[in-house]
Amino acid sequence: MTSTDSAQKAPAKDPWDLPDVSGLVVGVLGGTGPQGKGLAYRLARAGQKVIIGSRAAERAQAAAEEIGHGVEGADNAEAARRSDIVIVAVPWEGHGKTLESLQAELAGKLVVDCVNPLGFDKKGAYAIKPEEGSAAEQAAALLPDSRVTAAFHHLSAVLLQDPELDQIDTDVMVLGEERADVETVQALAGRIPGMRGIFAGRLRNAHQVESLVANLISVNRRYKAHAGLRITDV
């Protein structure tokens, strides 16, 4: 090999060359809440196999029946066990306990945390900073045997659940430590018509992404809207 050969670099990978995720089973923990239910509906409508989880299997099964599109319902542990990718959409108040109780079931899984730690008072919504830095970093600390990413924070549950909308024009910021995991989540976001998954950094940058929801709530209240995000020039 000549010095010229060794100096040549492999061409940079196209950031839009994303994997085929159509055959993966997606679990949604907290799938009976507005955000989880909306994500389950959109992904299932796009042809993804979806299992929603709840603390009570009966509640999950009732919600799955309501969603249709082949969605199944189970308790959180079974939903986690049977899924390749698990979206965490539980309320912030139960985030830590839920994940701690599912360490075994989530081992080896790709986990997508979309929880926003928020508080509310008479001035409106405000961000809470967890001890670990963010909900996603708390998930990573509690799930050492899982591959944790963060995404789907800025989506309107109202728009997600609206059957009259064929597409949702918004971008999804995806954070994570491993490129392959991030690209899988980007591809999953891209399954929903109108959405793009955009790499937005490592998990240490998740706090400001989670916090931005407080600003979007303020936007929505002032303008009677269901605001999302678009990343320009990408």
Side-chain angles (χ1 to χ4, degrees), residues 124-173:
Y126 61 93
I128 295 170
K129 189 156 190 178
E131 189 180 331
E132 298 85 355
S134 63
E137 288 169 295
Q138 183 183 89
L142 291 171
L143 303 172
D145 299 319
S146 304
R147 291 135 48 217
V148 176
T149 59
F152 300 117
H153 302 90
H154 306 134
L155 305 180
S156 161
V158 172
L159 298 186
L160 286 173
Q161 294 184 81
D162 186 347
E164 299 300 313
L165 289 180
D166 292 328
Q167 64 178 50
I168 299 178
D169 295 316
T170 192
D171 287 330
V172 173
M173 298 173 80

Side-chain angles (χ1 to χ4, degrees), residues 195-214:
M195 282 192 197
R196 298 186 307 171
I198 305 282
F199 171 64
R202 293 177 179 264
L203 285 188
R204 70 180 183 180
N205 291 319
H207 171 65
Q208 58 264 36
V209 174
E210 296 169 3
S211 301
L212 189 57
V213 175

Side-chain angles (χ1 to χ4, degrees), residues 26-46 48 50-54 58-69 71-73 76 87-91 114 152 155-163 168 192 195:
V26 179
V28 183
L29 306 184
T32 57
Q35 195 80 356
K37 205 173 182 181
L39 278 169
Y41 169 64
R42 286 291 157 183
L43 289 168
R45 181 169 158 171
Q48 208 76 34
V50 177
I51 304 169
I52 60 173
S54 178
E58 300 78 20
R59 278 188 67 206
Q61 288 156 3
E65 202 170 307
E66 190 183 327
I67 294 168
H69 297 280
V71 175
E72 291 183 50
N76 281 330
I87 297 172
V88 180
V90 299
C114 70
F152 300 117
L155 305 180
S156 161
V158 172
L159 298 186
L160 286 173
Q161 294 184 81
D162 186 347
I168 299 178
I192 300 173
M195 282 192 197

Side-chain angles (χ1 to χ4, degrees), residues 5 13 51-52 55 57 69 92 98 103 106 113 118 122 125 153 163-165 169 182 206:
D5 291 334
K13 185 179 185 297
I51 304 169
I52 60 173
R55 282 178 298 179
H69 297 280
W92 166 242
T98 300
Q103 282 178 339
L106 291 171
D113 201 299
L118 296 176
K122 62 183 180 182
H153 302 90
E164 299 300 313
L165 289 180
D169 295 316
V182 168

